[in-house]
Amino acid sequence: MQANIVVLPGDGIGPEITAVAVEVLKAVATRFGHDFSFSEHDIGGIAIDNHGEPLPATTLDACAKADAVLLGAVGGPKWSDPNAKVRPEQGLLAIRKALGLFANLRPVRPHPAALHASPIKPELLRDVDFIVVRELTGGIYFGDKTRDAQSASDLCRYTSAEIERVLRSAFRLAQQRRGKLTSVDKANVLETSRLWRDIAARIGREEFPDVELEHQLVDSMAMHLIAKPHAYDVIVTENMFGDILTDEASMLAGSLGLLPSASLGEEGKVGIYEPIHGSAPDIAGKGIANPYATLLSAAMLLRHSLGLEAEAATIEQAVARALDDGLFTADLAAQGQALSTRQAAQAVLDRLR
Ligand code: IPM
Ligand code: MN
């Protein structure tokens, strides 16, 4: 297969982790006889520095034409003045919106060898295997904003079409998995949530009677995720709830550095694959960031954008074997024997079979 992959390293640890992910993708291409070409473009803070804007048109064009996009992270203290007119995060939000990436898939499957790194009791983590579908291009992230000296506002708005399409993606995913969908909202307070819940109930009844649908309020969901994480299969929710719940869920896996994601739009459109962790400015440039979330994101890229299931599984199994062998970066290592980003990536390269 010939595929054109755009790499957006971004800021902070982004360049370090995407560099090793490209090495792993090249190794997989060689192993399986594929021809992947890679081109790098700026996004986020580096794009503000080089082009004066966080999402240059050249970057967006390249992504729109690509077969898939691998992204590192955006943001950092250099660009984080709250009064700044342009911010790196705007680039990320703009590319999600421009490419129509409304469904953000964030799988959570704690690895047995990394349970020691989770603050949650290991007996609660056994058999945890769920996936959060976060709505990614609507809600309070994208509503009108106002700010004056006395007040500020952010509008949370959803159309029924926006809610329907992400719910359908989540229902379909549940059908392919264990047939259970948990829809998370705040229907006791928010009008957008009441619309969300009505639509979820209707689509479930009319189109997916085979999927067991449950509704949860986001505050109690935050609790249940810790108390009984094994009870979930597919969880679907709106943009900001999904942002918050998935950082919480990453603690089940032991580290933010282990969670990949896929941002997908309509069938056949380009997808963006990125770790859910941020740019980690505190460790940027030190070569110690955990690359596993990015490698697992590269696996999702192979699976969802290129349809290369065996190749995706090869990367996932290699990461699993590296974890089994106790090959941890500093976020996971007990003490002393932490691997560098490069060593961890090499461990995965050595285990590709
Ligand atoms: C994420 C990040 C982004 C978000 C930030 C960087 C804008 O936290 O992808 O989860 O809030 O969506
Ligand atoms: Mn986030």
Side-chain angles (χ1 to χ4, degrees):
M1 166 183 286
Q2 209 286 322
N4 159 26
I5 299 172
V6 164
V7 182
L8 308 178
D11 308 318
I13 60 172
E16 303 162 43
I17 53 179
T18 49
V20 297
V22 167
E23 278 182 44
V24 169
L25 283 169
K26 284 182 176 163
V28 168
T30 305
R31 178 81 36 108
F32 287 85
H34 301 305
D35 175 14
F36 296 162
S37 64
F38 297 88
S39 62
E40 276 194 15
H41 294 272
D42 290 339
I43 192 168
I46 182 88
I48 295 175
D49 289 354
N50 291 344
H51 314 264
E53 49 184 345
L55 179 61
T58 46
T59 298
L60 181 56
D61 281 356
C63 292
K65 291 187 192 122
D67 294 307
V69 179
L70 182 71
L71 188 145
V74 301
K78 181 175 177 192
W79 309 279
S80 64
D81 173 359
N83 293 313
K85 286 249 154 42
V86 286
R87 278 175 285 106
E89 292 77 7
Q90 292 165 340
L92 187 55
L93 300 189
I95 198 169
R96 289 170 176 171
K97 190 76 170 180
L99 296 177
L101 305 175
F102 61 84
N104 181 217
L105 275 43
R106 298 185 162 188
V108 178
R109 203 170 34 214
H111 190 278
L115 299 189
H116 67 277
S118 173
I120 312 295
K121 293 191 192 100
E123 59 266 33
L124 289 174
L125 298 173
R126 233 162 277 135
D127 302 325
V128 171
D129 177 3
F130 62 82
I131 180 159
V132 178
V133 181
R134 169 189 174 193
E135 199 291 326
L136 203 59
T137 53
I140 199 164
Y141 271 61
F142 292 92
D144 290 343
K145 298 174 191 305
T146 68
R147 170 90 177 264
D148 61 26
Q150 281 78 38
S151 70
S153 71
D154 299 274
L155 181 68
C156 183
R157 181 170 187 275
Y158 268 108
T159 64
S160 50
E162 286 172 323
I163 297 172
E164 284 165 9
R165 64 184 181 180
V166 72
L167 280 167
R168 287 200 178 96
S169 304
F171 272 111
R172 282 194 290 266
L173 198 58
Q175 278 180 326
Q176 293 157 21
R177 292 174 46 106
R178 302 193 300 277
K180 196 178 160 200
L181 180 63
T182 305
S183 173
V184 177
D185 60 41
K186 185 72 183 173
N188 53 348
V189 177
L190 300 178
E191 212 49 62
T192 42
S193 281
R194 286 191 273 271
L195 178 63
W196 183 286
R197 191 175 285 218
D198 281 354
I199 293 174
R202 174 175 52 79
I203 292 184
R205 194 173 54 240
E206 291 176 358
E207 301 174 32
F208 300 91
D210 51 329
V211 174
E212 182 195 334
L213 171 68
E214 147 189 79
H215 305 279
Q216 280 292 344
L217 296 171
V218 64
D219 50 349
S220 67
M221 191 65 196
M223 177 185 68
H224 291 316
L225 269 185
I226 301 297
K228 48 166 188 167
H230 60 269
Y232 299 99
D233 179 14
V234 179
I235 297 168
V236 62
T237 192
E238 65 95 57
N239 202 343
M240 188 159 74
F241 297 161
D243 180 45
I244 297 169
L245 289 177
T246 50
D247 267 31
E248 184 195 9
S250 76
M251 285 295 96
L252 302 168
S255 170
L256 255 183
L258 288 175
L259 258 60
S261 87
S263 302
L264 307 174
E266 298 296 349
E267 191 73 40
K269 290 277 165 60
V270 68
I272 295 188
Y273 301 83
E274 57 176 311
I276 86 154
H277 61 68
S279 58
D282 52 322
I283 58 165
K286 295 187 178 164
I288 59 169
N290 185 343
Y292 293 156
T294 313
L295 301 184
L296 295 170
S297 300
M300 292 186 87
L301 180 157
L302 295 174
R303 172 175 298 121
H304 292 282
S305 279
L306 306 184
L308 301 175
E309 176 56 40
E311 290 82 341
T314 297
I315 295 182
E316 287 166 349
Q317 284 158 13
V319 171
R321 277 197 281 269
L323 288 167
D324 281 337
D325 293 342
L327 299 169
F328 302 138
T329 42
D331 53 323
L332 291 171
Q335 74 262 92
Q337 57 324 27
L339 266 56
S340 67
T341 304
R342 185 143 292 287
Q343 288 170 322
Q346 190 58 51
V348 173
L349 285 167
D350 292 343
R351 286 163 181 74
L352 291 174
R353 293 189 195 134

